[in-house]
Amino acid sequence: MKIITSSVPWDISQIFITLQQQLNPLFKEHRGKDLQFKIEREGNKVLVSKPEMYDGYLFTIEAMGKELHIGKSEHYVDDVNQITLQSIIETLQMEIQGGNDIIYISGE
């Protein structure tokens, strides 16, 4: 699990909206494939999945105050789609915080 600590609390609503609007178009741009990932919100957590191709989730993103916990499925770690998604998700998280400082990043 990767934990990104910011100087201010994370807004899961903003993360959810950003992923809904940008994740699929950015994936198509980066991979050249038009796969539509499912982005769902469950309380303070966002789940990214592709049920037609993968069992369960690919990523969970949970806001816990100033920490953002990004978990990835252990079943698809070498999958090129998941690697591309991880890069896009992490980049979007940094952009969401804008001018707020990212204090610390831990994990993989």
Side-chain angles (χ1 to χ4, degrees):
M1 174 175 300
K2 180 172 277 190
I3 300 173
I4 304 173
T5 305
S6 175
S7 61
V8 297
W10 291 89
D11 181 351
I12 198 68
S13 296
Q14 183 60 49
I15 292 168
F16 176 66
I17 291 167
T18 299
L19 290 175
Q20 280 191 313
Q21 293 173 347
Q22 297 184 35
L23 183 64
N24 288 315
L26 285 171
F27 184 87
K28 183 177 180 181
E29 179 182 318
H30 284 83
R31 278 280 288 134
K33 292 187 176 188
D34 191 15
L35 298 179
Q36 296 297 306
F37 293 92
K38 186 175 182 182
I39 302 157
E40 303 173 282
R41 182 167 176 197
E42 294 180 0
N44 211 34
K45 191 181 282 190
V46 174
L47 304 173
V48 178
S49 63
K50 180 73 173 146
E52 305 83 21
M53 292 178 68
Y54 303 99
D55 292 330
Y57 69 90
L58 291 169
F59 286 93
T60 62
I61 302 160
E62 185 172 10
M64 301 179 77
K66 294 181 181 181
E67 290 185 352
L68 187 69
H69 293 222
I70 303 173
K72 63 182 175 180
S73 172
E74 296 177 6
H75 301 291
Y76 311 109
V77 292
D78 293 329
D79 183 88
V80 69
N81 293 330
Q82 188 190 41
I83 293 167
T84 303
L85 279 175
Q86 181 174 349
S87 174
I88 293 168
I89 288 171
E90 290 172 3
T91 299
L92 287 174
Q93 302 323 315
M94 301 303 179
E95 290 175 6
I96 287 170
Q97 284 302 77
N100 299 317
D101 292 332
I102 301 298
I103 297 169
Y104 187 71
I105 299 174
S106 64
E108 60 175 86

